[in-house]
């Protein structure tokens, strides 16, 4: 009953407020800020401003009850506000702050919360609501949980955020009556507040009517409505504190942690001569916000057919005002940068040209959009992407700043969210689901474990039988170095740092002393350096017994290097294959990270194609190199249960031994493939430009088809013998993949092939070869062939060429035509399951064995 009455009162107040403000209108505030340092009886300077203690006789507020004041005994994290965060007002029952003499108008109200250890109160258990003149601002809020949740979100995007305080900002219209801020703790709980900031918004910074996304203009009714600032970001620039915004003291955060793919947006900066496009814009945002921005990353490869996306957690079932800030910093003409703006996947604006809107370069503007978020949705996406209706030259986007405001609904701005003190949301029904899932999971694990044990036992019995009969594996095909030893897997899984020693006992091969390595590499003589790898130099060396080795030495103390070093060890310790460069041993003395490989006498495939004076490879040699590397990749993809994605397939990672046998190397970026229940692995975009799969870049989802794409680029590189990216060429030729593909699509690949090949290849084989490469470069991964299919078709191409060679040499034409007839049907649609290649067959048996061992 009393609840009903309270609701009714609230409603009444709200209605009164609306009526009142409608009559009075949306007044403009003037004058001074009210800054309160809660729990203190003196005035304190913080952030360049004077904050008056709420117990000081000198303030214009009254407290309905004092609760008690708490002071931090231990030092608190330093920030501009540390002085005022040292004290707090703690209230076990409702506490009203009543402010007298605030002129009517609109105000930013900021509530500062900085939890600290208090006597007799565990701040983790605090929970309270806040309202301002009847408008509910916060509901049963647990501040430490909220802070931890924010940190969790930021950390999940790779930013080690350890914020320890929270500022909630609201924009409120105030009438002539006193402002009553009412803090009420949940039953049996308590609340606290460190500081209250009330800043007048003298100028009008919001218009009354705003474009609705996908609709017409709507009236915001800000005179009777409050707003909460959800996000305020300085896109592409640093965090800006209140001191950059001396009228309104706003804080602008960085945007990168909200980006869906950080690499998609490139930071740009130019601080010269920026002005507001309109005279009265200055309070909307300080100019420094417009000095930095993000544009679409120029990938050379992609024609910018992707979006820059930001993703924000928001409260469901509210209306949002999205404000975007723009200032063209780079281009000085119209029609150079035209893009689309999407808000929650709906087009908010198309054909958007900042230069045209602002009337010039270096002119700051903003755009507001209104978008309701349904009760089923708790994220808001903001995306900028190419407008395909614009000419290709203009497809680019730019954003300088971004603000998201939540509009009050029926006098309410609060959304009930509960987080435990470690930041995970607490929801009873969800918790129940989680327990059910855990239960089911445990049961499933037990079942699986049982089955695996059973199968392993069975296999052991069978293998011991077959081992007796066979003796050993055929040479050149030894996939089983695979004791994915549990310590390795666990160290990886827990993200812990991997100790080489744990590997030493297993499959790592020989452990070298640093002295041995130094002797072999003549103390890392630069004359013996044969390359610079992803994380350090590679040297040629010779062991005492005369064996030639390649020594990969990581630059000391490179964190990046360490991760890739570990990946390489983990990958290589699991893999042995004739077409993968094999690891001989390692050395980890004196903080060195050194890997020792078999020596590949003929270096990289690239060095035999162009850029050096080595004699050109024949078409046959090139095909054999492609086949060898395809075989290595096919093994990577299929040789273990989850498959392995190389992620950095390129001609410098294909090495040739003394017999020109090609082997894949450099597994520093490799990833285990998707597990059973996923079709892809989500990961930050890595790899080499020019070879990078556009779909991977767009969706950040890694599949083995990304390797297939890169391999397609390798195929074109091999036949054209030029760099995959050559910026000195005319625009349409810069990117080999695009250029060669356009020729291939016209079926005239022969016009652009390496002149060294002219006349020395079978035209039929080149035709087939082009078709394979084209298939590999299909825009969507699902349309690309599997590596096994590529391999099989390449073998067929080689057969075609060999038949042609025999014909050229006037050999018996009977055997050559037979060879061709034996080859499979030439359709690329043919299925890889019908593999006739004996090696591929073996690889399948190999993978079966792998399954059994894992
Ligand atoms: C302020 O509080 C401190 C400690 O609580 C007390 O010692 C001091 O006398 C107070 N000052 C005033 C002006 O009330
Ligand atoms: C009250 O505030 C004024 C100015 O804000 C200051 O000059 C004065 O000393 C203060 N008085 C007390 C008792 O703190
Ligand atoms: C605090 O303010 C609210 C609303 O303005 C009012 O209902 C409540 O009675 C006040 N509480 C105290 C303790 O003054
Ligand atoms: C993030 O972590 C690194 C090392 O782990 C540290 O050097 C850096 O200061 C941290 N950054 C922040 C903002 O805490
Ligand atoms: C910044 O803008 C000014 C004026 O438009 C221009 O002259 C200058 O080259 C720009 N600087 C950079 C680094 O782009
Ligand atoms: C900046 O503006 C001033 C005055 O408008 C002008 O004289 C100056 O040349 C401008 N500088 C640049 C780099 O555009
Ligand atoms: C960009 O995002 C919008 C909205 O989610 C989507 O419709 C569009 O297809 C995306 N464009 C690209 C190139 O991914
Ligand atoms: C909007 O698009 C993104 C991907 O672009 C997708 O993850 C998200 O679920 C979409 N949201 C809605 C509401 O459709
Ligand atoms: C509050 O929760 C955090 C995170 O769970 C914990 O680290 C901290 O010790 C807790 N504080 C108290 C006083 O219990």
């Amino acid at each position: 009953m009393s609840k009903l009455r309270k609701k009714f009162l609230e409603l009444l107040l709200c209605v009164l407020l609306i009526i009142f403000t409608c009559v009075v209108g949306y007044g403009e505030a003037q004058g001074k800020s009210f800054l309160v340092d809660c729990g203190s009886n003196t005035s304190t300077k913080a952030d360049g401003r004077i904050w008056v203690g709420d117990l000081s006789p000198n303030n214009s507020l009254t407290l309905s009850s004092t609760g008690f004041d708490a002071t931090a005994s231990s030092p608190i994290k330093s920030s501009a506000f540390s002085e005022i965060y040292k004290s707090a007002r703690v209230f076990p029952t409702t506490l009203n702050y009543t402010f007298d003499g605030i002129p009517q108008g609109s105000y930013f109200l900021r509530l500062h919360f900085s939890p600290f250890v208090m006597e007799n109160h565990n701040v983790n258990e605090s929970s309270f609501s806040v309202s301002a003149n009847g408008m509910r601002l916060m509901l049963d809020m647990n501040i430490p949980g909220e802070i931890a949740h924010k940190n969790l979100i930021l950390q999940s995007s790779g930013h080690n955020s350890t914020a320890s305080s929270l500022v909630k900002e609201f924009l409120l219209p105030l009438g002539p009556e006193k402002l009553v801020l009412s803090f009420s703790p949940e039953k049996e709980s308590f609340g606290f507040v460190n500081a209250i900031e009330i800043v007048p918004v003298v100028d009008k910074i919001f218009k009354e009517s705003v474009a609705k996304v996908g609709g017409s203009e709507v009236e915001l009714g800000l005179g009777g409505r409050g707003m909460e600032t959800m996000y305020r970001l300085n896109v592409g620039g640093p965090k800006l504190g209140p001191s950059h915004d001396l009228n309104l003291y706003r804080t602008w955060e960085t945007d990168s942690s909200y980006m869906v793919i950080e690499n998609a947006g490139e930071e740009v900066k130019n601080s010269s001569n920026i002005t507001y496009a309109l005279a009265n814009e200055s309070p909307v945002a300080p100019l420094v916000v417009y000095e930095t921005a993000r544009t679409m990353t120029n990938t050379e490869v992609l024609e910018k057919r992707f979006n820059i996306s930001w993703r924000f957690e928001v409260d469901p079932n509210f209306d949002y005002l999205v404000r975007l800030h723009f200032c063209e910093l780079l281009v000085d003409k119209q029609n150079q940068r035209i893009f689309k703006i999407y808000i929650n996947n709906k087009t908010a604006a198309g054909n958007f040209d900042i230069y045209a809107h602002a009337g010039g370069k270096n002119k700051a503007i903003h755009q507001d959009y209104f978008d309701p978020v349904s009760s089923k949705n708790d994220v808001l996406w903001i995306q900028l992407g190419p407008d395909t209706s614009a000419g290709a030259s203009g497809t680019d986007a730019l954003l300088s700043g971004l603000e998201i405001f939540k509009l009050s609904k029926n006098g309410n701005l609060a959304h009930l969210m509960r987080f435990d003190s470690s930041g995970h949301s607490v929801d009873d029904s969800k918790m129940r689901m989680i327990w059910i899932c855990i239960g089911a999971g445990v049961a499933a694990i037990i079942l699986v474990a049982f089955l695996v044990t059973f199968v392993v036992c069975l296999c052991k019995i069978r293998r011991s039988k077959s081992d007796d009969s066979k003796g050993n594996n055929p040479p050149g095909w030894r996939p089983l170095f695979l004791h994915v030893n549990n310590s390795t897997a666990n160290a990886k899984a827990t993200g812990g740092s991997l100790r080489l020693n744990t590997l030493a006992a297993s499959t790592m091969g020989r452990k070298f002393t640093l002295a041995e390595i130094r002797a072999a590499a003549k103390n890392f003589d630069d004359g013996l350096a044969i390359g610079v790898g992803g994380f350090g130099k590679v040297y040629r060396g010779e062991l005492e017994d005369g064996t030639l080795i390649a020594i990969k030495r990581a630059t000391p103390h490179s964190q990046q290097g360490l991760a890739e070093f570990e990946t390489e060890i983990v990958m290589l310790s699991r893999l042995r294959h004739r077409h993968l460069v094999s690891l001989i041993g390692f050395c980890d003395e004196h903080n060195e990270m050194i890997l020792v490989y078999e020596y590949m006498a003929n270096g990289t495939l690239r060095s035999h194609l162009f850029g050096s004076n080595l004699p050109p490879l024949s078409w046959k040699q090139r095909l054999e190199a492609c086949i060898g590397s395809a075989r290595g990749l096919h093994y990577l993809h299929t040789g273990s249960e989850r498959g392995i994605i190389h992620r950095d397939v390129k001609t410098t990672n294909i090495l040739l031994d003394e017999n020109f046998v090609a082997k894949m190397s450099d597994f520093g970026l490799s990833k285990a493939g998707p597990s059973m229940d996923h079709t892809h692995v989500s990961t930050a975009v890595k790899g080499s430009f020019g070879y990078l799969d556009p779909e991977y870049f767009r969706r950040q989802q890694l599949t083995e088809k990304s390797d297939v794409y890169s391999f397609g680029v390798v195929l074109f590189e091999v036949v054209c013998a030029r760099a995959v990216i050559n910026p000195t060429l005319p625009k349409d030729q810069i990117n080999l993949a695009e250029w060669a593909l356009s020729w291939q699509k016209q079926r005239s690949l022969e016009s652009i092939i390496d002149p060294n090949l002219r006349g020395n290849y079978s035209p039929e084989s080149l035709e087939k070869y082009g078709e394979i490469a084209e298939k590999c470069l299909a825009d969507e991964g699902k349309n690309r062939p599997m590596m096994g299919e590529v391999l099989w078709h390449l073998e067929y191409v080689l057969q075609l060429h060999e038949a042609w060679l025999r014909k050229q040499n006037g050999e018996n034409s009977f055997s050559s035509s037979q060879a061709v007839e034996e080859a499979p049907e030439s359709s690329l649609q043919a299925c890889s399951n019908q593999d006739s290649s004996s090696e591929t067959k073996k690889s399948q048996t190999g993978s079966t064995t792998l399954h059994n061992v894992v």
Side-chain angles (χ1 to χ4, degrees):
M1 198 57 213
S2 75
K3 239 187 190 168
L4 247 166
R5 206 160 54 217
K6 209 169 136 201
K7 274 255 161 69
F8 178 70
L9 269 175
E10 264 177 28
L11 205 78
L12 196 71
L13 243 159
C14 199
V15 169
L16 281 178
L17 196 75
I18 291 171
I19 292 174
F20 183 82
T21 41
C22 285
V23 173
V24 173
Y26 181 62
E28 285 185 356
Q30 332 107 23
K32 61 180 177 86
S33 303
F34 295 78
L35 307 175
V36 182
D37 180 11
C38 303
S40 153
N41 63 4
T42 54
S43 294
T44 313
K45 192 163 182 190
D47 189 42
R49 294 175 282 170
I50 306 288
W51 301 68
V52 184
D54 62 356
L55 290 182
S56 159
N58 207 2
N59 59 31
S60 50
L61 61 86
T62 45
L63 283 171
S64 66
S65 68
T66 49
F68 62 90
D69 40 317
T71 314
S73 45
S74 50
I76 62 168
K77 218 176 145 189
S78 95
S79 80
F81 296 106
S82 1
E83 281 306 310
I84 50 171
Y85 288 175
K86 281 180 181 158
S87 65
R89 177 145 313 282
V90 181
F91 44 90
T93 58
T94 297
L95 168 70
N96 286 355
Y97 275 94
T98 307
F99 290 84
D100 228 339
I102 298 188
Q104 73 187 74
S106 67
Y107 288 83
F108 273 127
L109 166 69
R110 298 192 185 104
L111 303 175
H112 294 249
F113 304 100
S114 176
F116 53 73
V117 178
M118 303 172 200
E119 235 177 290
N120 303 329
H121 286 82
N122 180 350
V123 76
N124 285 351
E125 277 152 28
S126 66
S127 172
F128 58 96
S129 306
V130 183
S131 63
N133 282 358
M135 178 170 308
R136 176 123 44 84
L137 306 180
M138 287 160 54
L139 180 61
D140 292 346
M141 173 90 103
N142 172 253
I143 298 289
E146 185 86 10
I147 293 173
H149 181 68
K150 290 217 150 143
N151 284 335
L152 264 186
I153 292 178
L154 296 185
Q155 282 157 13
S156 71
S157 59
H159 298 71
N160 54 346
S161 168
T162 52
S164 60
S165 58
L166 181 72
V167 181
K168 298 282 267 180
E169 182 186 278
F170 305 92
L171 184 72
L172 302 175
L174 295 184
E177 78 281 22
K178 292 174 185 172
L179 167 63
V180 180
L181 277 183
S182 185
F183 294 82
S184 39
E186 222 180 331
K187 223 173 168 189
E188 321 249 293
S189 183
F190 68 98
F192 71 97
V193 56
N194 298 72
I196 301 170
E197 186 182 345
I198 302 173
V199 176
V201 181
V202 176
D203 306 276
K204 234 178 164 151
I205 57 174
F206 292 99
K207 285 214 194 93
E208 262 308 311
S209 71
V210 162
K212 181 175 175 178
V213 175
S216 50
E217 299 264 310
V218 288
E219 295 290 319
L220 293 181
L222 286 180
R225 236 172 159 182
M227 296 205 287
E228 177 179 354
T229 310
M230 304 293 285
Y231 299 94
R232 177 177 289 129
L233 308 177
N234 178 24
V235 175
K239 176 175 173 170
L240 303 173
S243 59
H244 286 93
D245 191 5
L246 284 181
N247 290 318
L248 295 172
Y249 299 95
R250 289 167 293 195
T251 298
W252 299 75
E253 305 283 347
T254 56
D255 71 314
S256 54
S257 39
Y258 302 101
M259 295 186 71
V260 179
I261 305 178
E262 209 177 318
N263 313 35
E266 196 168 48
E267 293 178 10
V268 295
K269 185 171 166 51
N270 192 336
S271 45
S272 66
N273 275 11
I274 293 175
T275 54
Y276 295 106
L278 298 168
N280 57 358
E281 283 274 283
S282 62
V284 167
L287 278 180
V288 57
V289 169
Y290 299 100
E291 290 177 1
T292 57
R294 255 180 222 286
T295 59
M296 298 178 84
T297 300
N298 186 2
T299 63
E300 313 269 10
V301 200
L302 295 173
E303 285 179 5
K304 299 189 177 159
R305 279 171 295 144
F306 57 93
N307 288 326
I308 323 183
S309 310
W310 292 262
R311 184 184 181 277
F312 301 94
E313 267 195 13
V314 293
D315 299 329
N317 207 13
F318 278 98
D319 297 339
Y320 288 87
L321 179 64
V322 175
R323 169 166 284 186
L324 304 177
H325 299 267
F326 304 100
C327 177
E328 179 53 67
L329 297 174
L330 303 176
V331 307
D332 43 16
K333 272 204 292 290
Q334 224 162 297
N335 291 328
Q336 297 298 294
R337 191 193 301 282
I338 297 175
F339 56 97
K340 268 189 167 171
I341 302 169
Y342 305 93
I343 295 178
N344 258 348
N345 304 10
K346 295 173 298 231
T347 305
N351 208 5
F352 195 84
D353 184 338
I354 301 171
Y355 190 96
H357 271 259
K361 190 183 171 185
N362 293 342
K363 294 207 184 303
I365 53 164
H366 73 274
Q367 292 282 316
D368 289 344
Y369 301 99
F370 174 90
D371 190 42
V373 168
S374 78
S375 55
K376 291 188 205 75
N377 212 352
D378 60 358
V379 289
L380 193 102
W381 285 72
I382 295 181
Q383 293 170 293
L384 305 182
D387 193 334
T388 40
S389 60
S393 68
T395 57
D396 198 347
L398 180 147
L399 184 65
S400 315
L402 183 161
E403 290 172 281
I404 299 177
F405 302 96
K406 178 171 71 179
L407 290 153
S408 72
K409 200 168 198 172
N410 306 328
N412 180 37
L413 269 170
H415 173 70
L416 185 60
M417 274 304 269
R418 284 170 183 273
F419 304 110
D420 62 18
S421 57
S422 54
H424 298 282
S425 59
V426 189
D427 179 333
D428 292 346
S429 62
K430 247 187 215 160
M431 281 307 277
R432 206 172 317 122
M433 269 311 288
I434 289 171
W435 279 111
I436 290 172
C437 291
I438 290 175
V442 167
I445 288 170
I446 292 172
L447 193 69
V448 167
F450 177 77
L451 281 176
V452 165
T453 323
F454 181 73
V455 170
V456 165
C457 288
L458 207 72
C459 293
K460 268 208 177 127
I461 294 168
R462 267 164 98 194
R463 180 143 13 88
S464 58
K465 273 184 197 159
S466 66
D467 277 357
D468 289 346
S469 58
K470 255 203 280 167
N472 51 14
N473 290 317
W477 184 257
R478 289 169 293 128
L480 291 186
F481 241 74
L482 204 155
H483 321 173
V484 180
N485 48 4
N486 284 329
S487 57
T488 316
N490 290 342
K492 270 281 149 188
T494 54
S497 95
L498 172 71
R499 299 269 32 143
L500 285 182
N501 295 337
T502 64
L503 286 168
S506 64
T507 59
M508 283 297 300
R510 181 169 160 195
K511 179 167 174 166
F512 290 90
T513 65
L514 190 55
E516 280 174 304
I517 300 278
R518 282 189 185 281
K522 302 218 171 83
N523 205 11
F524 302 112
D525 181 6
D526 273 342
L528 291 178
I530 49 177
V532 181
F535 63 92
K537 276 191 180 162
V538 184
Y539 301 86
R540 181 164 56 88
E542 189 175 344
L543 294 178
E544 274 167 12
D545 64 1
T547 315
L548 285 174
I549 53 173
I551 297 168
K552 191 168 179 179
R553 183 195 193 198
T555 322
H557 315 302
S558 90
Q559 273 301 315
Q560 178 74 18
L562 183 63
E564 290 178 10
F565 185 73
E566 289 173 354
T567 313
E568 178 120 6
I569 292 173
V570 172
M571 293 295 170
L572 278 178
S573 61
R574 293 162 58 178
L575 304 163
R576 290 283 143 155
H577 189 263
R578 183 168 136 82
H579 294 286
L580 302 181
V581 170
S582 58
L583 193 65
I584 295 177
F586 69 101
C587 167
D588 66 344
E589 279 176 27
H590 296 102
N591 287 328
E592 291 273 4
M593 298 184 286
I594 293 171
L595 294 174
V596 178
Y597 301 88
E598 62 176 312
Y599 179 66
M600 299 293 286
N602 276 311
T604 68
L605 173 58
R606 187 183 201 261
S607 66
H608 293 270
L609 294 173
F610 57 94
S612 65
N613 293 322
L614 297 171
L617 296 179
S618 70
W619 183 228
K620 183 168 181 230
Q621 280 174 311
R622 294 184 202 206
L623 287 176
E624 280 166 349
C626 292
I627 289 172
S629 39
R631 205 162 273 165
L633 280 174
H634 175 59
Y635 170 71
L636 275 183
H637 290 174
T638 58
S640 69
E641 190 177 15
R642 283 182 66 188
I644 287 161
I645 302 167
H646 187 286
R647 283 224 280 179
D648 202 11
V649 176
K650 52 182 176 181
T651 45
T652 47
N653 281 339
I654 298 172
L655 303 181
L656 301 173
D657 73 2
E658 65 278 14
N659 300 318
F660 286 94
V661 172
K663 306 190 181 197
M664 293 302 306
S665 77
D666 209 334
F667 302 87
L669 294 180
S670 306
K671 275 255 186 236
S675 55
M676 301 281 273
D677 46 346
H678 292 95
T679 55
H680 64 267
V681 181
S682 287
T683 162
V685 174
K686 286 190 178 149
S688 304
F689 274 152
Y691 295 95
L692 207 52
D693 171 11
E695 186 178 58
Y696 171 37
F697 195 88
R698 279 200 298 269
R699 300 174 44 191
Q700 218 177 3
Q701 293 176 347
L702 191 61
T703 70
E704 65 268 28
K705 295 296 182 65
S706 306
D707 282 352
V708 174
Y709 182 92
S710 308
F711 189 76
V713 180
V714 165
L715 291 180
F716 278 130
E717 189 180 349
V718 163
V719 72
C720 298
R722 54 151 280 194
V724 290
I725 298 286
N726 185 346
T728 63
L729 291 172
K731 197 168 174 209
D732 60 329
Q733 299 183 25
I734 291 179
N735 185 315
L736 170 66
E738 284 173 10
W739 179 61
L741 199 56
S742 66
W743 284 94
Q744 167 58 29
K745 284 192 170 141
Q746 302 161 29
R747 296 287 171 264
S748 43
L749 186 60
E750 66 281 358
S751 349
I752 58 164
I753 64 168
D754 183 359
N756 289 315
L757 291 176
R758 296 261 149 81
N760 298 317
Y761 65 91
S762 125
E764 213 183 350
S765 69
L766 183 72
E767 190 187 316
K768 279 278 155 295
Y769 183 91
E771 282 172 21
I772 300 164
E774 182 182 351
K775 281 263 170 189
C776 291
L777 295 189
D779 200 45
E780 285 182 72
K782 63 177 196 286
N783 297 331
R784 295 175 204 149
M786 300 292 288
M787 218 50 230
E789 285 171 75
V790 176
L791 170 59
W792 180 69
H793 287 292
L794 283 173
E795 282 173 340
Y796 176 54
V797 168
L798 180 61
Q799 285 174 7
L800 285 174
H801 179 61
E802 282 176 335
W804 178 85
L805 280 178
R806 277 193 292 272
K807 223 182 224 158
Q808 296 281 303
N809 298 339
E811 271 189 28
N812 181 345
S813 63
F814 172 69
S815 64
S816 73
S817 66
Q818 191 178 30
V820 176
E821 272 157 23
E822 271 171 15
E825 278 295 293
S826 64
S827 145
L828 276 174
Q829 269 71 33
C831 173
S832 63
N833 293 346
Q834 303 168 348
D835 257 348
S836 62
S837 139
S838 60
E839 184 107 22
T840 329
K841 269 212 186 108
K842 261 186 242 155
S843 96
Q844 280 164 354
T845 29
S847 71
T848 327
T849 337
L850 283 170
H851 280 282
N852 294 344
V853 174
V854 171

